[in-house]
Amino acid sequence: GAVVSQHPSRVICKSGTSVKIECRSLDFQATTMFWYRQFPKQSLMLMATSNEGSKATYEQGVEKDKFLINHASLTLSTLTVTSAHPEDSSFYICSANRGRGGETQYFGPGTRLLVL
Amino acid sequence: GENVEQHPSTLSVQEGDSAVIKCTYSDSASNYFPWYKQELGKRPQLIIDIRSNVGEKKDQRIAVTLNKTAKHFSLHITETQPEDSAVYFCAASKGAGKSTFGDGTTLTVKP
């Protein structure tokens, strides 16, 4: 159990377009999901905490108007990179906690975004 | 906020040897310390975790120790195998899942 999926696995887009990434918990309900960004050979950088039914909490330095997060149900959170630019190219990973107050994070497989 | 430091950044060992990765954290309120293994291009996978009310935990060839007073915890891998080669991340959390990650250790096990 505790499977998290992400879609798409990779996307190439032109500069100025918007890209939506979906994160789904397949066999459990996730009140909270997290979105990370990971650069090559670097650690996971938390971008925001996505809470079902309420606004996301963004980390310092992350533009909320640039990275729109929606957590409309207990199994789905979406991250939309608006007006993407080449510097937004990265590996985006989501994670979900199982149950309320659950400690262990279960990660999605990641989405590799390349903006041309 | 929480600050997690991880050492070393790279570690190379011979197959069969032991590997030790160390992390320190700054927030004494942190009470959950997971370790993740991430293979190239894949998702991080939880390999072991420890809570603040425990000093040591072992799972086959993997063990984690925690020193709350000194605010450091370590991952020990014994009898290393080539398939242990990956990037390992430590993390510290105060609960409800939000974790601060270390910078990662690239472990290479040479056959």
Side-chain angles (χ1 to χ4, degrees):
Chain A
V3 178
V4 176
S5 70
Q6 252 180 272
H7 179 80
S9 58
R10 60 179 67 225
V11 58
I12 301 173
C13 68
K14 292 182 179 179
S15 186
T17 59
S18 293
V19 175
K20 180 186 280 189
I21 302 170
E22 292 185 348
C23 178
R24 292 181 185 273
S25 55
L26 298 185
D27 54 355
F28 66 100
Q29 293 183 333
T31 311
T32 305
M33 290 183 173
F34 303 90
W35 286 96
Y36 294 88
R37 186 172 179 177
Q38 187 175 35
F39 292 103
K41 297 186 178 181
Q42 292 192 23
S43 189
L44 296 152
M45 184 193 81
L46 179 65
M47 299 174 65
T49 302
S50 172
N51 303 297
E52 186 267 335
S54 64
K55 290 183 179 180
T57 304
Y58 289 82
E59 295 299 303
Q60 193 173 12
V62 178
E63 298 176 62
K64 60 181 181 181
D65 295 330
K66 172 77 173 176
F67 299 99
L68 300 177
I69 291 172
N70 185 277
H71 195 152
S73 77
L74 286 170
T75 58
L76 173 65
S77 176
T78 59
L79 167 68
T80 301
V81 183
T82 61
S83 187
H85 291 285
E87 57 265 30
D88 297 325
S89 300
S90 190
F91 192 52
Y92 293 87
I93 308 180
C94 70
S95 72
N97 284 41
R98 188 169 191 167
R100 290 189 182 276
E103 296 168 318
T104 303
Q105 293 189 49
Y106 298 93
F107 286 88
T111 297
R112 189 160 300 282
L113 171 64
L114 177 61
V115 184
L116 302 176
Chain B
E2 176 67 278
N3 182 46
V4 176
E5 294 191 359
Q6 183 172 346
H7 298 281
S9 57
T10 60
L11 179 59
S12 182
V13 300
Q14 208 65 39
E15 182 177 1
D17 288 350
S18 295
V20 180
I21 303 170
K22 298 182 179 181
C23 288
T24 61
Y25 61 100
S26 60
D27 192 339
S28 56
S30 290
N31 55 14
Y32 176 65
F33 308 92
W35 286 88
Y36 294 89
K37 175 183 180 182
Q38 186 178 27
E39 296 177 4
L40 191 63
K42 297 190 176 180
R43 76 185 83 193
Q45 300 261 16
L46 178 72
I47 56 172
I48 196 167
D49 56 13
I50 191 167
R51 289 172 177 79
S52 58
N53 57 347
V54 176
E56 184 174 356
K57 183 177 178 180
K58 190 174 181 180
D59 182 3
Q60 299 184 344
R61 296 187 296 110
I62 296 173
V64 58
T65 58
L66 171 65
N67 183 325
K68 279 179 58 179
T69 304
K71 294 206 277 293
H72 66 70
F73 56 112
S74 301
L75 177 72
H76 304 252
I77 306 174
T78 58
E79 300 171 30
T80 54
Q81 301 165 3
E83 49 266 38
D84 293 330
S85 297
V87 180
Y88 291 82
F89 293 99
C90 64
S93 169
K94 288 185 278 192
K98 183 175 177 178
S99 298
T100 302
F101 287 81
D103 287 340
T105 296
T106 301
L107 173 64
T108 303
V109 180
K110 293 183 280 188

